Amino acid sequence: RTQISSDAFNVADCPFYHKYTYRTQLPPGAFDAIVVRIAKFSTHVEFSPVACVFYQMGHIGQVFCSSDPAHGALGGPAAAVSICVRASSKDLLRQAASEVDKMERFFPG
């Protein structure tokens, strides 16, 4: 699917979606680094400590961070953390996911 999707915020129907899951908490500054990198190619960005909405020439995307405290309760060392990337186009998803991949390489482990 290559057309523009209006479902960037719809969990069930968003065709351009990627989720990263980590077994530990993110290092300090990791999510902020993703937001700054995304801001470089966006025309407008709105963000909070755990979410970022970005726009690029009529397209919209979202990156947010969430944790699952139940993971730590099941014998794991800490809560599982997820970074979810959603976008209204395939190209925008590729760009945003690329920035998350760069963050992974910068913060090994």
Side-chain angles (χ1 to χ4, degrees):
R1 193 168 166 185
T2 58
Q3 70 268 20
I4 295 174
S5 173
S6 61
D7 297 320
F9 296 115
N10 188 340
V11 178
D13 298 329
C14 182
F16 308 115
Y17 175 82
H18 190 75
K19 183 176 182 178
Y20 300 83
T21 302
Y22 308 98
R23 294 187 182 269
T24 63
Q25 295 294 318
L26 295 177
F31 188 76
D32 297 334
I34 294 169
V35 171
V36 169
R37 289 179 164 282
I38 287 173
K40 290 191 297 188
F41 64 79
S42 301
T43 54
H44 180 75
V45 177
E46 297 174 18
F47 61 93
S48 73
V50 295
C52 169
V53 178
F54 54 99
Y55 306 88
Q56 184 187 59
M57 300 175 62
H59 297 280
I60 187 170
Q62 179 185 38
V63 177
F64 66 91
C65 183
S66 63
S67 62
D68 179 11
H71 175 75
L74 297 175
V81 175
S82 297
I83 295 178
C84 298
V85 182
R86 298 182 188 143
S88 61
S89 72
K90 187 176 184 178
D91 287 338
L92 192 58
L93 175 65
R94 181 187 47 77
Q95 283 181 305
S98 170
E99 300 307 333
V100 177
D101 293 338
K102 289 176 186 174
M103 182 276 305
E104 285 183 335
R105 289 191 297 271
F106 186 77
F107 291 105

